[in-house]
Amino acid sequence: QVQLVESGGGLVQPGGSLRLSCAASGSISTIYAMGWYRQAPGKQRELVADIPTGGTPMYADSVKGRFTISRDIAKNTVYLQMNSLKPGDTAAYYCNADLVTYYDSRRDYWGQGTQVTVSS
């Protein structure tokens, strides 16, 4: 069993900042990557940022230069520092982990989502 617990969402004014956190717990053997996705009403879920274990972060073009993804490997945690937020960043943000447990083969796990609203 794996749980992804997210925190850090909320309401912020344009130009503001938020820091999202997501901690994975359970019978985790290997994490291949962790990342953040978002979904706005009426739109497809899209990749925001992804960071492979030991690899190079990747970002959606729309957030490059504003968002930074990072990992704490020892804590099985991924962060998303969001700066210079825009109304277009408003969405439900979902943590994702590509991992293997001691009982099941590799697959994606998802957090419950945390709402980010950017509005004046």
Side-chain angles (χ1 to χ4, degrees):
Q1 187 176 22
V2 174
Q3 301 85 42
L4 301 181
V5 179
E6 300 159 320
S7 63
L11 174 65
V12 66
Q13 293 186 350
S17 297
L18 287 172
R19 183 177 175 86
L20 306 183
S21 299
C22 173
S25 62
S27 301
I28 298 169
S29 176
T30 304
I31 298 178
Y32 290 92
M34 297 186 76
W36 292 93
Y37 292 69
R38 68 187 182 187
Q39 187 168 25
K43 299 188 68 176
Q44 294 269 85
R45 185 172 298 187
E46 64 175 349
L47 174 69
V48 177
D50 179 86
I51 180 168
T53 302
T56 302
M58 298 173 287
Y59 299 92
D61 288 342
S62 59
V63 307
K64 285 180 180 177
R66 300 188 297 120
F67 291 9
T68 302
I69 189 169
S70 60
R71 291 270 302 281
D72 186 327
I73 301 299
K75 295 181 179 179
N76 291 338
T77 299
V78 63
Y79 306 93
L80 186 67
Q81 178 66 47
M82 303 185 293
N83 298 326
S84 301
L85 283 161
K86 304 174 180 179
D89 296 318
T90 296
Y93 283 70
Y94 296 89
C95 178
N96 171 268
D98 174 10
L99 61 81
V100 176
T101 73
Y102 292 109
Y103 307 102
D104 295 297
S105 58
R106 179 177 178 178
R107 75 169 182 89
D108 285 324
Y109 292 82
W110 294 91
Q112 79 285 352
T114 184
Q115 179 67 36
V116 172
T117 301
V118 185
S119 176
S120 60

